[in-house]
Amino acid sequence: MAQWTWSGLGNRPIFFPVLMVLCGAALLARTDVSGWAFLAAGAVLLLIAIWRGARWGGWLAVLGAGLAAGGGIARLHAAGDAQAWPVPGARVVLEGEVERATETDDGQHLVLDVSRVDGRSARARVGLSAVDAPPLSAGQRVLVPARLRPPMPRANPGEWSRFEAQRRRGELWTGRADGERLVLLSGPSAAATWLARAHFELAESVRAVAPDEDAAALLLTLAAGLRADLGDRVEEDFARSGLAHVLSVSGLHVAVLAFALFGLVRRLLVRWPGRFFRRVDPRVIAAPAAMPLVWAYVAYTGWQAPAVRSAVMCTLVLLGHALRRRSDPLNALSAAALFMVLADPAGLVDLSVQLSFVAVLSLVLLAPLFRDALPVEKPSHKVLSGWKLVLAQWREAALVTFTASAAVTCASAPLVLMAFHRVGLAGLLSNVVCMPLSAALTLLAAGGAALHLVSPVAALPVLWAGAWLSHGLAWAAHAFAALPFAAMTLPPPPLSLALAWWAGLLALVLLHGRARLLAVSAPLAAGLFVALLPRPEAGVLEVSFLSVGHGDAIVLSSEGHHALLDGGGVPQGHDTGRRFVLPFLETRRIERLELVGLSHPHPDHALGLPSVLERVPAERVWLPAGAGRGPLVGDIVAAARGATVEDVELGHAPFHLGAATIEVLGPPVDRILLEGENDRSLVLRVRHGDVTFLFPGDVEEAGEESLALAEPVTVLKAPHHGSRTSSHDGFVATARPRFVVFCVGAFNRFGFPHGEVVERYEAMGARCLRTDLDGAVTFHSDGHAVSVETFRERGEVEGMLRARKRPVARPATAGAP
């Protein structure tokens, strides 16, 4: 059994110093101390370490110097000037250099190193979503109009957020760029132009020989890093099957290519005629010959972080071969980590980087322990020979792959749950079957891409074989994803339980004797996590108003029964269903919806529903009578396969959701005088004992007057997001809500909610909540009393906004969505 100890780790000269650099970059990046002050402190500590030598004081000084150096690097990387900028929400013209340009489903995501704003000098990084912009590459200077706002922290349970990464990278502003008015101040570099043309020509050749688009996309992902072409179904199948690592140029692919090249060159040298290469160790020549090719592949596929990490490690290992020294994997991993943090300190919060390093650590520390625990002897040339030895070697390869997959699954489970809200079991089996296919596909993809640069015609047979192998791998991923135990949807674990889990695994590896009993913290953490899973409570109704920007998305749950009203939506923007609603449903372990309601067919209510209905089946869909079957409604109906679709209006039979009853109050049967879609919204009232909730959609004055509302309500969703065209005196006086929720987006261009509307409700004694400031707002009702909790602390968000002047509210019009 492999023996690892703390002293053994300490004997690796750079392991603990690099670990302290990582800790400094992770923990000190958000302090207000200058980065230069941290670096100066690190230099002083390093001098003390040199003075103290190998004694304890010297080692402690080295560790302190690493901590300070990490903090200094992170602080300098995140530096920027937040005060010299215009007010949030204002339209500005930015001038700067493109640091990164990434293709997205609806355009490009740009990271711009800004030098001027409206002609004035400024300094910061800005993250922009650009639609209809020309293809851009790093290094180009651009002039682009944009509407900016500061990055905001997570607003909903389960939501994936770039907020922490943005802060660490100094992206002090984010927003949407006007791609049609973008002006190129400099063209792409010759290298970027050549690479774009090479990728385009390779894609054309691959699609010409591939059996289908999914196979072509998978091959191009590994050959050129063009992951944006992968479809949602393929991504979902690979994620559920435990093969998500195949969908990007990961460390595994780089390692396979590196050692395949090393072995190929070494074998050619051994078989080379003549005596010259027989006089030297072929490894001395093969290792440096393979390294440039490995780095060329990493550059060709876009410098993806896991690939860079693996390339650094492989370079160190190959250098060890060239120098006839054995490379230590932990030293190599430490060197790769140091390289990564120097190049991009903010990469520490990048999930792909975290998973990559955790996977390698688990393979080095945990996988051998798992393999030694299996009661199966390793094959030996002394005992076996012939076909028995071959079969035993195949069995050993399968067991090693299985234990490696188990080790990676165990070590990365908390990270995977935090990011994807699922843990997969199919990967334990799928990796045993598919890893050889993935390795072969990597060689075909890299070889085909390299050969295509020399002769596109000669590359076609290699690309054809790679495309069909991609097709087979996609089919295998689909088959494994369909297994009933493929993946379990679970909420993200608390950080304390995740740390207890990792501490248990570390104790299992590093401690011995009775001290190893501390490893019990891992199963205890898992058991406590299962015990704390949310379970339906009898007689309780939970209503959550999600923060989806300017739009509505409301989830109702009672006794294991669930409903969704609206799904939010941003025209030409992100998919609110996939970004906000689905993660929330996963954290609540909601796998089926009894009812889905659309208040009215406007984008900010409808666009997010199709992606939700494609993933979460619904039994019934309610549409407002008279809404018709336009494109928005048509997409919803098409996605709601197998659901009963009903056009409902006042007088429709109530719907029972657990202990609650949903009543239809609108639209009225006689709605000929209601001219706009807003006034013809689906209006629902939910009764739960003495507690009532009213969801009036976007009704305005005429729609409010048509409601047969004769009693107060406990909780009200403010009509039309708090516009002054709604919430008139008569409606407010009749509703007399105790709580009012304004579903609004931060810095929305309509200025919602309007101040006089908020004052009107507050004058009636209502507590007003806002999804832009409070995040998701959740009410719990027992049928007699109601309590409320918000996802955000409003004071923290308001403090961020005070650091930048608030935008001037613009008057809204009746035609606002």
Side-chain angles (χ1 to χ4, degrees):
M1 180 175 292
Q3 298 289 319
W4 292 96
T5 61
W6 284 108
S7 60
L9 296 179
N11 290 333
R12 288 156 174 83
I14 66 172
F15 181 80
F16 282 113
V18 170
L19 182 61
M20 297 308 293
V21 172
L22 297 179
C23 290
L27 301 176
L28 304 179
R30 296 175 59 179
T31 64
D32 295 328
V33 180
S34 166
W36 293 111
F38 275 126
L39 292 181
V44 171
L45 288 170
L46 190 58
L47 290 176
I48 293 174
I50 295 173
W51 172 56
R52 297 295 295 174
R55 288 172 287 185
W56 275 104
W59 281 112
L60 291 176
V62 167
L63 297 181
L67 189 70
I73 293 168
R75 288 294 299 142
L76 292 177
H77 187 72
D81 184 3
Q83 303 299 330
W85 288 63
V87 296
R91 193 176 183 85
V92 296
V93 178
L94 306 176
E95 180 182 341
E97 181 176 299
V98 177
E99 282 195 359
R100 288 192 303 278
T102 308
E103 290 187 23
T104 61
D105 293 338
D106 55 356
Q108 300 175 79
H109 178 75
L110 308 177
V111 176
L112 202 63
D113 187 0
V114 175
S115 57
R116 302 183 72 83
V117 179
D118 288 337
R120 301 188 304 273
S121 295
R123 181 190 174 213
R125 292 183 179 91
V126 176
L128 295 174
S129 298
V131 181
D132 299 326
L136 298 170
S137 60
Q140 289 186 265
R141 290 194 65 82
V142 298
L143 192 72
V144 57
R147 194 181 301 275
L148 302 180
R149 64 180 181 87
M152 301 293 282
R154 282 196 314 147
N156 303 282
E159 175 190 341
W160 177 82
S161 173
R162 295 183 63 248
F163 176 71
E164 186 62 28
Q166 287 171 321
R167 291 182 63 178
R168 287 173 176 269
R169 289 196 168 97
E171 292 181 32
L172 302 180
W173 297 87
T174 184
R176 295 180 62 81
D178 188 346
E180 293 182 343
R181 299 177 60 191
L182 183 146
V183 178
L184 295 174
L185 301 179
S186 67
S189 65
T193 302
W194 173 85
L195 186 61
R197 184 174 65 249
H199 282 176
F200 175 79
E201 293 173 353
L202 177 64
E204 292 294 307
S205 297
V206 168
R207 292 190 178 99
V209 297
D212 54 50
E213 186 59 33
D214 288 344
L218 180 55
L219 181 59
L220 288 171
T221 296
L222 299 184
L226 303 178
R227 181 166 178 166
D229 294 333
L230 286 169
D232 293 337
R233 186 186 64 81
V234 176
E235 297 252 13
E236 178 67 13
D237 283 346
F238 275 83
R240 285 186 57 83
S241 64
L243 297 170
H245 56 86
V246 176
L247 292 184
S248 62
V249 182
S250 66
L252 171 68
H253 302 105
V254 174
V256 167
L257 178 63
F259 290 103
L261 289 171
F262 172 74
L264 176 63
V265 175
R266 181 173 176 270
R267 183 172 292 273
L268 289 175
L269 293 177
V270 169
R271 296 180 178 274
W272 194 269
R275 297 183 178 180
F276 176 77
F277 290 114
R278 297 180 183 179
R279 298 174 182 174
V280 296
D281 187 340
R283 296 178 298 175
V284 175
I285 301 175
M291 285 187 291
L293 300 176
V294 172
W295 282 103
Y297 175 67
V298 173
Y300 189 77
T301 54
W303 298 99
Q304 298 181 41
V308 174
R309 186 269 308 156
S310 183
V312 173
M313 290 189 65
C314 291
T315 298
L316 294 175
V317 173
L318 292 175
L319 281 175
H321 283 295
L323 299 174
R324 299 183 182 182
R325 292 179 178 273
R326 183 177 180 181
S327 298
D328 181 81
L330 285 183
N331 276 335
L333 183 62
S334 301
L338 182 61
F339 177 85
M340 296 290 291
V341 79
L342 291 175
D344 182 17
L348 289 173
V349 297
D350 188 318
L351 179 65
S352 64
V353 174
Q354 294 172 353
L355 289 174
S356 178
F357 278 94
V358 167
V360 175
L361 274 175
S362 64
L363 292 175
V364 173
L365 301 178
L366 204 57
L369 197 67
F370 284 7
R371 173 59 190 96
D372 290 341
L374 294 178
V376 180
E377 292 187 3
K378 298 179 181 180
S380 172
H381 292 275
K382 299 179 179 179
V383 179
L384 301 173
S385 61
W387 63 269
K388 291 184 178 180
L389 177 61
V390 172
L391 290 178
Q393 290 173 337
W394 278 89
R395 181 195 64 195
E396 181 64 17
L399 290 176
V400 168
T401 304
F402 174 80
T403 52
S405 180
V408 173
T409 299
C410 287
S412 61
L415 289 176
V416 172
L417 280 176
M418 291 176 186
F420 305 112
H421 315 125
R422 68 179 66 174
V423 61
L425 300 178
L428 300 177
L429 180 60
S430 63
N431 280 287
V432 175
V433 176
C434 296
M435 284 303 295
L437 299 179
S438 177
L441 180 59
T442 300
L443 299 179
L444 289 173
L451 191 58
H452 192 272
L453 296 175
V454 179
S455 172
V457 175
L460 287 179
V462 180
L463 296 177
W464 176 86
W468 277 98
L469 185 56
S470 297
H471 180 72
L473 191 59
W475 178 88
H478 181 72
F480 282 110
L483 295 175
F485 59 85
M488 295 185 295
T489 300
L490 295 168
L495 180 60
S496 57
L497 293 184
L499 293 176
W501 172 263
W502 284 320
L505 295 182
L506 200 60
L508 184 66
V509 172
L510 297 179
L511 301 182
H512 304 280
R514 292 182 179 180
R516 183 174 275 188
L517 292 176
L518 293 175
V520 76
S521 68
L524 285 178
L528 188 57
F529 172 64
V530 173
L532 294 176
L533 289 177
R535 290 175 174 81
E537 298 182 47
V540 173
L541 171 66
E542 180 183 279
V543 179
S544 296
F545 297 80
L546 303 187
S547 179
V548 294
H550 179 71
D552 292 2
I554 305 162
V555 179
L556 296 84
S557 299
S558 179
E559 299 182 336
H561 302 275
H562 312 283
L564 171 65
L565 307 180
D566 290 334
V570 182
Q572 295 184 325
H574 52 253
D575 185 337
T576 52
R578 183 175 291 111
R579 181 174 177 179
F580 303 117
V581 182
L582 282 171
F584 178 84
L585 298 181
E586 290 167 352
T587 61
R588 293 296 195 269
R589 304 184 72 193
I590 298 175
E591 300 179 351
R592 187 171 189 83
L593 295 166
E594 273 73 19
L595 175 67
V596 172
L598 172 67
S599 63
H600 61 296
H602 277 174
D604 55 327
H605 296 256
L607 282 177
L609 285 177
S611 57
V612 175
L613 290 168
E614 287 172 0
R615 290 271 299 274
V616 182
E619 295 181 6
R620 191 176 304 270
V621 175
W622 278 3
L623 305 173
R629 290 293 188 271
L632 290 175
V633 175
D635 290 343
I636 293 171
V637 173
R641 298 179 299 271
T644 301
V645 180
E646 297 178 316
D647 294 313
V648 300
E649 58 188 6
L650 178 64
H652 190 279
F655 183 85
H656 297 285
L657 186 78
T661 301
I662 303 177
E663 303 168 346
V664 180
L665 303 186
V669 177
D670 183 10
R671 50 186 174 272
I672 191 170
L673 297 179
L674 301 178
E675 298 180 358
E677 291 281 2
N678 285 348
D679 281 325
R680 294 196 293 268
S681 291
L682 176 65
V683 180
L684 302 177
R685 178 171 57 196
V686 177
R687 290 188 180 275
H688 183 235
D690 300 329
V691 177
T692 55
F693 292 78
L694 183 63
F695 307 105
D698 276 1
V699 295
E700 299 179 270
E701 184 173 8
E704 290 175 351
E705 292 176 352
S706 70
L707 291 178
L709 192 64
E711 60 183 89
V713 297
T714 310
V715 180
L716 169 68
K717 188 207 82 76
H720 199 198
H721 315 286
S723 165
R724 60 171 60 95
T725 60
S726 302
S727 299
H728 289 80
D729 292 333
F731 174 80
V732 173
T734 302
R736 296 203 306 277
R738 289 171 50 198
F739 299 93
V740 181
V741 181
F742 295 94
C743 296
V744 292
F747 313 111
N748 65 85
R749 60 191 178 96
F750 309 110
F752 295 159
H754 288 140
E756 59 266 40
V757 174
V758 176
E759 292 173 0
R760 195 173 300 152
Y761 283 113
E762 289 179 340
M764 298 294 296
R767 177 184 174 187
C768 294
L769 300 139
R770 297 172 46 162
T771 56
D772 61 337
L773 299 180
D774 299 304
V777 180
T778 300
F779 292 90
H780 298 272
S781 167
D782 61 3
H784 304 288
V786 65
S787 61
V788 60
E789 61 178 329
T790 60
F791 188 76
R792 284 178 179 163
E793 291 290 337
R794 180 179 289 199
E796 177 186 356
V797 178
E798 288 180 329
M800 292 174 54
L801 300 184
R802 281 194 297 270
R804 303 163 173 90
K805 294 180 181 179
R806 299 296 303 272
V808 178
R810 300 184 179 184
T813 63

